[in-house]
Amino acid sequence: MSSRRKVFLIRHGRTEMNEWMASNPSSHDDPGFKDTVLTPAGEEGARKLADVAPEVDVVLASPLRRTLQTACLAYPNASIVAFPLAAERRWHSSDEGTPVEELEELFPQVDFSLVKETPYPWFHEGSKEPVPQFVERMCAFREALATREEEKVAVVCHWGVIQSLLNVSAANCEVVETSVDDLSPAPNQIGAWD
């Protein structure tokens, strides 16, 4: 199945966890920021993204709070769908999700139907998500995009998702233009995490 559908992978804005990691670069400790949120600088970056974000038919967003915040700020008038396959690989508690009932209250403009169809927890629980399981999820992510009807799709997601699909280390609020055909999940692109 071939699809030249335009896909814009957008990394979320700067978060509490990004700030902590910048000030503790050699630490592998988990500071306990469950489902971390954007910092004021991250919110400002997402608002600025609204001025340059590509026009799309739909915005898919990982159902973690930082990506939902980014999607809502960057695309305030768009159709936004929470897309569980786009969640970050579980590494720290910042990658643990929030129950969908709470997300619906926080983000009433987002369609959570795909999250509700996915058994809870829709994120990997416990220690870090095994590489084979994450690659399998990224393959399912690619196939789900290939079957969508929209021609131009934005996916607000995470560093690990973009890295695993394109071998690109995206900065916060960076937009990476690609196509479904160019998405190629590979374990060797994830190795730096282990």
Side-chain angles (χ1 to χ4, degrees):
M1 166 178 12
S2 176
S3 176
R4 298 303 306 167
R5 175 173 297 112
K6 279 193 188 244
V7 177
F8 301 93
L9 298 177
I10 303 171
R11 185 175 175 206
H12 61 77
R14 194 155 179 88
T15 67
E16 305 162 308
M17 186 64 176
N18 295 141
E19 296 286 337
W20 187 87
M21 290 174 71
S23 62
N24 298 281
S26 61
S27 177
H28 295 289
D29 293 337
D30 186 344
F33 299 127
K34 185 172 189 262
D35 200 0
T36 189
V37 296
L38 299 182
T39 62
E43 290 177 1
E44 182 61 26
R47 279 189 201 91
K48 288 180 180 176
L49 187 56
D51 296 331
V52 297
E55 284 193 33
V56 296
D57 303 315
V58 68
V59 178
L60 305 178
S62 156
L64 291 168
R65 291 186 300 169
R66 58 195 180 266
T67 47
L68 294 168
Q69 287 178 288
T70 302
C72 291
L73 292 169
Y75 287 97
N77 300 311
S79 171
I80 301 173
V81 178
F83 189 57
L85 293 172
E88 181 64 289
R89 178 180 177 217
R90 168 58 162 94
W91 186 261
H92 291 105
S93 57
S94 60
D95 306 319
E96 291 178 19
T98 298
V100 70
E101 297 78 21
E102 291 178 42
L103 293 174
E104 286 178 314
E105 289 181 25
L106 293 168
F107 304 99
Q109 68 276 44
V110 175
D111 174 358
F112 287 98
S113 58
L114 293 176
V115 178
K116 290 178 179 178
E117 293 171 8
T118 306
Y120 187 82
W122 46 263
F123 53 89
H124 182 78
E125 277 193 307
S127 61
K128 64 185 172 182
E129 184 175 6
V131 170
Q133 182 177 329
F134 182 65
V135 171
E136 183 178 316
R137 182 160 57 86
M138 290 300 95
C139 289
F141 169 103
R142 183 189 184 284
E143 290 310 307
L145 283 182
T147 61
R148 293 196 66 90
E149 295 178 6
E150 301 90 356
E151 287 302 313
K152 293 188 283 183
V153 178
V155 183
V156 182
C157 55
H158 308 272
W159 181 91
V161 171
I162 298 168
Q163 178 71 26
S164 71
L165 293 168
L166 294 171
N167 202 22
V168 170
S169 182
N172 293 109
C173 289
E174 183 175 347
V175 179
V176 180
E177 183 176 344
T178 188
S179 73
V180 172
D181 284 349
D182 293 334
L183 301 177
S184 181
N188 63 326
Q189 297 171 175
I190 304 167
W193 291 12
D194 294 320

